[in-house]
Every structure is written in structure tokens, then in C-alpha cells.
Amino acid sequence: MEKIYSIILASGKGERFDYYKPKQFIKIAGKTVLEHTLDIFEKNNSIDEIILVINPEYRALTEQIVINNHYKKITKILNGGETRKESSFIGINSINVDNAKVLIHDAVRPFVSDRIINECVEALDRFAAVDVAIKSADTIIQINDENIIENIPKRKYMMRGQTPQAFKVNLIKKAHELSAKEENPEFTDDCGLIVKYNLADVYVVNGEETNIKLTYPEDIFLADKLFQINSHKVPENVSLNALEDKIIVIFGASSGIGSDICKIARDYKAIVYGYSRKNNVDVINYDNVQNALKEVYEKENRIDFIINTAGVLNIGKLEERDIKSITEEININYIGAINVVKAGIEYLKQTKGSLLLFTSSSYTRGRALYSPYSSSKAAVVNLAQALAEEFLPDNVKINVMNPERTATAMRFQNFGKEPDGTLLNSEKVAIDSLKTVLSDLTGQVIDVRKSRS
Ligand code: CTP
Ligand code: MG
């Protein structure tokens, strides 16, 4: 079978992004944008080889990233050129297989889907050039240098270009060679060259709104959110059988999700230590937390996973609530998480283990009558994102579960009986929590939803 090549363009400087390093090195959810993009191509079954085109100033950093991730498909790390076009030509020229199929992709589009990649590869059976584009919700207008409209093309025929762009390699080589012969070659992307020299029909695969290019500083906010919607699904292909003999410490273990996690982990033969105020371990007391972990470590000599489900929810207008109950709520929900993480990290470094915290869907947007709760849950997410980066060198993972409304005693106390079928079962949350600690994920918010079957 012929090989399918991909060229990942990462040689830009990211001037418009205005970060102290090129934007491909900014981190989202614990990983650089470049790694997110490379991960997608490394895992995609249609792609055989990755040719990485880099900025030579950042060769050491890039090579370290490639080594740390054990990428198997990367066969070349090439120094790029002054412009995207040059970088792309350098990548193309390195492929010496006649009529190979190649996809050229921006490293700074870390949300490209397998669906897009696969459709590009398939389309190359029928076309020698393929672009990816999305329909425009806005009307596209054509103006002149005086800002006067010249033309309003039919919106139906207007699309916005993305990457990857895919080609038979001989064709795109020829296009670049023609362009190189010109005195003032135009700055256009690879598909633009094919169109300019009228070398072939360029077929368009539907892109996706989420396949954004990080260009300006504000794009990082969107990127963070997209990660929350996109990849924050409960990890698949994780077997709970891997829990056997694992040492798990659970705070907030006496009821609700915490107690279900204990039960299920034990069913799968994990060795579980559960703590709560019932056995005199209060997460707001750092000594309590430290002592609990020490006790487990002295007995077992290792701790693999630490899970904190302790939390409280009190409803009411801030103005009407007393400061003591507000402070207590914040302490349990937020300081509790800090205590558990801070006391636990030394043990997890030894096992390259995993930490798990809990948030609520109100973390993305403060909710009236819940202000201390929703804001402390937002703080927990922010905390985990920061710590995921701090813990990366030690290979310790930290994630946050975000269950939908779940049937727990805490919920019943605050909301009374709710209609059947509207609440998530806390055993499902427990299973997904255990799958998460067993996975390689870090820095993620994992949404747990009711199965809508
Ligand atoms: N690129 C490249 N070589 C260049 C310029 C750009 O490989 N000489 C790559 C970038 O790394 C990026 C993609 O082409 O993945 C899209 O380019 P763009 O968004 O313009 O990135 P930068 O050129 O880095 O950003 P800026 O134009 O703001 O400096
Ligand atoms: Mg650029």
C-alpha cells in the first residue's frame, strides 16, 4: 500500500499572537498546541508518516517534545523557511515518492478532526488537490482600497478556507516550482497555487467551525472552551480491571459519589481507603489530610490515586447568608481541594499517579443563589489546569469530573424530590471517575452526562 504523508507546518513566529514563544508552544490542558496537533495525526489510522517543519530557533525544544511523546510516525524534522509557502515547499520537496499523497496542515489548528483528515485522504482517490473549508454564516463582501463595496458574491458559493490541504505530491511540487520562477510570486496557500496555475480541480471537503487557527491572543480563550466541549469526554477503552491492587485514597467517602467510588473500586479488587468527617478527616484541615495519607502510605508503601469528592452546596442570596456558612462552603469546596492535592503530590510522584477533583456544571457561568458554590467550583477547575502543567514533568495527572445533576443526598437536601429520569445515577459518575484516573488524561474537565438512550 502506498503511504500517506502529512506535513505539519510549525515554523511560524506567531507575531500576531504576541506570546513570548511562538503560539504552537502555548499550552492548553497541559499540552502544547503542537502536541495536540501531532497527537491527532499520530493516532489517525489514515496517516503513515509525519514530516514536521519547524522554526530552527526552537529545534531543541521541538526535539524534546518529540522525544517525550514517543511519536512513532515522525520521520523528519525540517527547518522551515521565511514564509508559510517556503516552509510548505521544504516539506513537499522532502518527499521523494512519485505521486505520494500528502496532507499539509497548520500546527496551530489543534482541533482538526479525524473525520476531516480521513475525508481528505479519501478524496485524493478522485482528485489531485483537496481543500478544507466551511460555509460562511456572515455575508462575504468584496471591497476596494477605499473601503467601498465592489461586489457581494452569492453567499452560497462563499466558503472560508482551513487546513489540511491535500495533494498528489507531484502536482503540488509543480505548482511551487512554477511560483518560484515568478519575479513577484503571490503569497497564497498551496491550494491557491493550484488554482492560479489552473493545474487541477480542487475538491472541497467540509471543514468544521471548531477547526480554528490560533492567530490572535484572544483565540486562546476560545481554544480553552473548545477543549472543554471537545475532548472532555469520559475516556473510552479503559478497563476497570486495571484497578486490581491499586491503592486508592478517597476523601468525602461516606456518601454520594465518594461512597460509590469506594464500592466499585473494591469490587474491582482495588485497595481503598475512604476518609470523611465521619472518621474525623475533614478536608479543610491540612493536618487531617496529611495524616490520613501518611497512614495509608505507611501501611501500603504506595498510593496510586487520590480522589476528593468532599463538597457542600448551600443555596441562598449572598446578602442574606451569614459569613460563617459562606466561608465554610468555600473552604470545603476549594481549600479542601488544595489541601488534598498539596498533601498528596509527594506520594503520587513515586507512582506517577493520578488526582481527581470534582466541579459542577455551574463552573462555566456563575449562578444566582449559588455564588459561593459555583465560584469555588470554577476555582477548582482553574487550579487543576494550572497544576496539570506543574505536575507534567513528574508524570502526575490531575483531572476534574463535571457530573450533570446527580442523584445524591446533597442534591436531595437542596432540591427535594426531582422527576424520575432527570438525574444522573451516582454509580455512573463513580465508574467514569475511576476510568479517568486509570487513563492518561491530564488537565481535563470530564463531562459526565446521562446516557440519552
Ligand atoms: N508557518 C510556517 N512557516 C512560516 C510561517 C508560518 O511553517 N514561515 C506555519 C505556522 O507555524 C502555522 C501556519 O503556518 O502553523 C499558519 O501560519 P500563521 O497562522 O500565519 O502563523 P505564524 O506565521 O506563526 O503567525 P504570524 O503570521 O502571526 O506571525
Ligand atoms: Mg504567518
Side-chain angles (χ1 to χ4, degrees), residues 9-17 23-24 53 81-84 87 106-108 213-215:
L9 296 177
S11 187
K13 296 194 180 75
E15 276 163 357
R16 285 168 292 176
F17 200 81
K23 59 198 176 183
Q24 52 272 33
V53 184
E82 278 303 305
T83 62
R84 184 189 185 281
S87 297
D106 295 333
V108 294
K213 179 161 78 73
L214 294 176
T215 305

Side-chain angles (χ1 to χ4, degrees), residues 6-10 23-26 28 31-44 47 50-52 65 69 71 74 104-114 117 163-164 211-214 227:
S6 60
I7 296 172
I8 304 296
L9 296 177
K23 59 198 176 183
Q24 52 272 33
F25 299 113
I26 195 166
I28 308 176
K31 273 190 199 175
T32 61
V33 165
L34 176 64
E35 286 168 293
H36 285 296
T37 305
L38 288 172
D39 284 350
I40 296 168
F41 283 81
E42 174 80 15
K43 286 185 190 140
N44 183 291
I47 301 294
I50 300 171
I51 296 163
L52 182 55
I65 286 176
N69 285 281
Y71 291 123
I74 297 181
I104 304 172
H105 186 65
D106 295 333
V108 294
R109 286 188 193 269
F111 297 104
V112 61
S113 66
D114 287 318
I117 295 174
T163 71
N211 181 22
I212 59 165
K213 179 161 78 73
L214 294 176
F227 258 97

Side-chain angles (χ1 to χ4, degrees), residues 191-348:
C191 282
L193 293 175
I194 304 287
V195 174
K196 181 174 178 198
Y197 300 114
N198 201 9
L199 297 177
D201 283 343
V202 183
Y203 179 73
V204 178
V205 160
N206 282 323
E208 282 158 26
E209 285 289 345
T210 50
N211 181 22
I212 59 165
K213 179 161 78 73
L214 294 176
T215 305
Y216 299 103
E218 53 271 29
D219 293 334
I220 196 66
F221 296 107
L222 193 54
D224 270 329
K225 286 287 167 224
L226 284 173
F227 258 97
Q228 286 162 16
I229 339 178
N230 263 1
S231 60
H232 292 203
K233 295 186 189 115
V234 177
E236 290 164 23
N237 309 326
V238 176
S239 163
L240 292 185
N241 293 326
L243 288 169
E244 188 166 347
D245 295 333
K246 289 282 186 295
I247 314 294
I248 310 182
V249 182
I250 298 167
F251 293 94
S254 64
S255 65
I257 295 167
S259 98
D260 279 338
I261 294 177
C262 289
K263 199 169 89 246
I264 293 167
R266 283 190 186 118
D267 288 347
Y268 283 90
K269 304 194 184 112
I271 298 152
V272 181
Y273 289 83
Y275 294 98
S276 68
R277 285 194 279 206
K278 290 223 170 96
N279 51 13
N280 299 317
V281 175
D282 191 338
V283 289
I284 70 177
N285 182 311
Y286 188 59
D287 287 343
N288 283 184
V289 177
Q290 265 193 318
N291 291 335
L293 291 167
K294 197 159 159 241
E295 178 181 272
V296 175
Y297 186 77
E298 279 169 2
K299 262 197 223 152
E300 304 289 349
N301 257 310
R302 62 182 285 143
I303 298 176
D304 296 288
F305 307 132
I306 301 175
I307 300 174
N308 178 33
T309 66
V312 281
L313 165 63
N314 292 311
I315 300 184
K317 281 190 173 173
L318 192 79
E319 188 188 351
E320 286 158 11
R321 287 186 50 189
D322 72 86
I323 193 67
K324 198 161 156 272
S325 101
I326 293 171
T327 313
E328 192 196 55
E329 191 173 351
I330 295 169
N331 282 342
I332 295 180
N333 292 335
Y334 181 50
I335 304 297
I338 293 204
N339 287 341
V340 168
V341 175
K342 186 165 163 55
I345 182 66
E346 63 170 301
Y347 302 109
L348 297 177

